[in-house]
Amino acid sequence: MAQWTSAVGAAHLARLLNSQQDRPAGPGTRRPPAYRALADGIRLLVLEGRVPVAARLPAERELALSLSVSRTTVAAAYEALRAEGFLESRRGAGSWTAVPAGNPLPARGLEPLPPEALGSMIDLGCAALPAPEPWLTRAVQGALEELPPYAHTHGDYPAGLPALRTMIAERYTARGIPTMPEQIMVTTGAMGAIDAICHLFGGRGERIAVESPSYANILQLMREAGARLVPVATAEGLTGWDVDRWRQVLRDAAPRIAYVVADFHNPTGALADEDQRRRLVEAARSAGTVLVADETMTELWLDEDLSMPRQVCAFDPAGSTVVTVGSASKAFWAGMRIGWVRAAPDVIRSLVAARAYADLGTPVLEQLAVNWLFSTGGWEQAVELRREQARENRDALVAAMRKELPSWEFEVPQGGLTLWVRAGGLSGSRLAEVGERVGVRVPSGPRFGVDGAFEGYVRLPFTVGGAVADEAAARLAAAARVVESGGSGGGETPRTFVA
């Protein structure tokens, strides 16, 4: 059986390779042989994630025609890639991209920084902000006032509190997407929602199509569920999806599930437009694929003049193709572990039935707190506070990065909580390793890819601002100097920094 899960056409690969010619070579750089330049170009595309791992490459003759080079040149390049571990081949099955076994591969998303390290380490690992007070305290106080009637029950509500399910349904309806409470299940955060969806639709060995890059913790959740991840490279910059590429993958790989983040994608910050959303829903429906739309960042638009497109589920209001996941964790506070699923009533019933063998239900007090926020207008005021904080942090971090690391490349997203940065040709894994030694914690690009892609990237969240953002960028610059010199950074001692 072939080991590839997607395919890259000769014309498309040629366009990607030709785009690399615009990148300036370093001083004193000698032009390599044609086959070596081709091999290096394909290797870079794999490491950056622009060509997915396990993607079938075009035949030698086909690619030679598209590039206007000899077939011998392509054959030599493929042979070099095979020798380096970036290509695997099998007679009759073709050749597909790979990552060498010796390369460090992402294992898990970043765990929270230990409290004892907060005095000396600037933590850019988790894209989460402190609670927007006084709204957290007010919500908990309001929940306590509503708690007594529920305390006289068993406290298990597998589908969620009826009042909260009704409130969430009304919020969708108010946005022009008619929704019944029977289409809502409350979960323990978005992670709990996606875990339940994966177990319902994607048993062990099932294919799940994911954006490349994608959210690290979700990728790891799917790996541990035994899924076979099929990466789909994103479009350039912040323009959302390449829907033609998605349509091809959905048709060829026939994944049971596709997981996407349309609004301020984590980690890139991209925002898909309405036409992309409509076309992707149509492609998923045609392929029989369940499209899981993660909307945890939807309300975190930061630019005042931004007109938000309709939600993905607006193009499938019945919920037969699109299963929507929402959460209070990003827009409000990560410690508020309340998420929800919107889908067709029969899907919700299946999810609820399966929950008896998982977590039984979501904490009642937290559900009451979120319901209080929704019903009193506190949610809108708290989220506006969150937007202001994220906007200030984003602008401070962007300014600091441009000052300290002007050769690093990124586009400034219009919302969300993350900046996706190409690290000037340096290894993201090495930067993450050395960064911890000089007092700044960043996740490397490969954590957000499949099988080691995006080695040249790091993700920076909008979690610090002001002088702390300046210091974080300065420490990243120090780490970059160590990586450039080939050192380990072991002699650096991070100084204590108090915000």
Side-chain angles (χ1 to χ4, degrees), residues 102-148:
N103 275 30
L105 299 181
R108 297 180 181 275
L110 287 176
E111 293 79 15
L113 188 68
E116 61 270 16
L118 291 175
S120 60
M121 185 75 69
I122 298 176
D123 185 11
L124 298 181
C126 297
L129 291 164
E133 289 289 25
W135 297 105
L136 174 62
T137 298
R138 292 180 182 177
V140 173
Q141 290 172 340
L144 288 171
E145 293 176 2
E146 298 291 333
L147 182 61

Side-chain angles (χ1 to χ4, degrees), residues 415-430:
L417 290 171
T418 57
L419 198 65
W420 186 235
V421 182
R422 191 198 304 265
L426 301 179
S427 162
S429 298
R430 289 283 291 128

Side-chain angles (χ1 to χ4, degrees), residues 221-267:
L221 182 155
M222 292 174 176
R223 290 188 189 101
E224 293 187 353
R228 297 175 58 191
L229 301 183
V230 181
V232 185
T234 57
E236 288 294 315
L238 300 176
T239 56
W241 306 310
D242 182 334
V243 180
D244 290 337
R245 192 175 300 175
W246 266 100
R247 183 178 291 110
Q248 179 184 357
V249 169
L250 294 178
R251 182 183 64 243
D252 295 347
R256 186 71 182 91
I257 302 172
Y259 168 78
V260 297
V261 184
D263 301 313
F264 313 121
H265 176 263
N266 186 351

Side-chain angles (χ1 to χ4, degrees), residues 297-312:
M297 296 282 190
T298 296
E299 297 189 65
L300 290 178
W301 46 266
L302 304 183
D303 291 353
E304 297 289 350
D305 59 349
L306 177 61
S307 178
M308 287 293 293
R310 284 182 290 171
Q311 293 167 266
V312 176

Side-chain angles (χ1 to χ4, degrees), residues 23 44 47-48 401 405-410 419-432 442-446 454-460 476-477 479-481 483-484:
R23 299 186 184 183
L44 182 59
L47 290 175
E48 289 182 341
M401 290 295 295
L405 292 156
S407 66
W408 288 23
E409 302 171 49
F410 55 84
L419 198 65
W420 186 235
V421 182
R422 191 198 304 265
L426 301 179
S427 162
S429 298
R430 289 283 291 128
L431 285 166
V442 296
S444 63
F454 304 105
E455 182 57 55
Y457 289 79
V458 293
R459 188 197 72 173
L460 306 180
L476 268 177
R481 289 191 293 270
V483 173
E484 285 176 329

